[in-house]
Amino acid sequence: MQGWPGRIGFAGTAMLLAGCAMGGGGSEARRPPVSVADEVTKVQRDMLVGAWRCRELNPYPELPKASRTITFGADGTVVAEVRTENDPRYGPLQGISRGNWSVEGDRLVMRNMKLEARAAEGSANPFGGFLAGLTATVANTFMRSQQDSTSDVLKLTRSELIFRGTGEDPPIVACTR
């Protein structure tokens, strides 16, 4: 399925956890239009290193909100975490993706991403754990078949990062620290 979230790194993984398996991100669902100017011609790698708090600027409207963090290590490792708000259908879910990152010109590239997902601590919904496990299995199978997950970095300062995955109907992710 073209445009699947595994192709766009952290934002994709978060959307997959909070979206595709829960009914969002299908062929009928579309993200609301958002326009962000592309200000970056070359990513300065050292400006990405560290922890960021992120949110989607164009989330699927029917999905529960989620809190996200992503940490780029100076050693080229990346850890992305997501926790969805409590959804009456599934309860709150949380996931952690780990892999490697690099930059290529104005692009952020993620490789070898692996997702661990589960029902969030305190969840009373038994279906959440099942859904999270299924989501992780599907996501990891899909991500293994992808060479790289590439995102176009639109804005990057010491305190702000905005990027958009390549592919069909990608999320635009805004991060601060």
Side-chain angles (χ1 to χ4, degrees):
M1 177 170 153
Q2 196 145 76
W4 247 54
R7 296 176 62 188
I8 52 178
F10 164 71
T13 301
M15 194 222 15
L16 181 62
L17 175 64
C20 285
M22 298 193 314
S27 60
E28 303 300 317
R30 300 303 284 178
R31 295 176 179 284
V34 173
S35 180
V36 177
D38 189 347
E39 302 175 9
V40 177
T41 57
K42 183 173 180 166
V43 174
Q44 294 179 26
R45 186 181 189 284
D46 66 317
M47 289 181 70
L48 285 171
V49 173
W52 298 87
R53 291 176 311 283
C54 303
R55 65 184 176 86
E56 286 185 20
L57 296 178
N58 61 338
Y60 290 112
E62 68 276 7
L63 297 180
K65 293 181 180 175
S67 61
R68 298 167 174 86
T69 60
I70 185 168
T71 303
F72 296 101
D75 63 354
T77 59
V78 61
V79 177
E81 299 179 55
V82 62
R83 181 184 167 112
T84 67
E85 288 183 352
N86 192 14
D87 183 287
R89 300 167 293 178
Y90 314 106
L93 302 176
Q94 61 189 62
I96 299 174
S97 295
R98 291 179 171 83
N100 304 100
W101 71 279
S102 62
V103 296
E104 295 177 3
D106 67 343
R107 305 282 173 141
L108 170 62
V109 180
M110 308 271 194
R111 294 182 174 88
N112 307 315
M113 296 301 289
K114 182 165 181 172
L115 172 66
E116 300 168 19
R118 63 183 178 275
E121 186 175 324
S123 175
N125 188 323
F127 187 63
F130 171 76
L131 176 64
L134 179 63
T135 299
T137 299
V138 171
N140 290 326
T141 299
F142 181 77
M143 286 188 282
R144 267 195 305 270
S145 70
Q146 302 301 302
Q147 294 296 319
D148 299 328
S149 298
T150 304
S151 295
D152 185 17
V153 177
L154 305 173
K155 183 173 185 176
L156 179 59
T157 68
R158 293 276 175 209
S159 61
E160 186 177 16
L161 165 64
I162 301 176
F163 61 96
R164 173 185 56 224
T166 58
E168 184 180 320
D169 198 29
I172 298 173
V173 179
C175 306
T176 58
R177 54 173 158 195

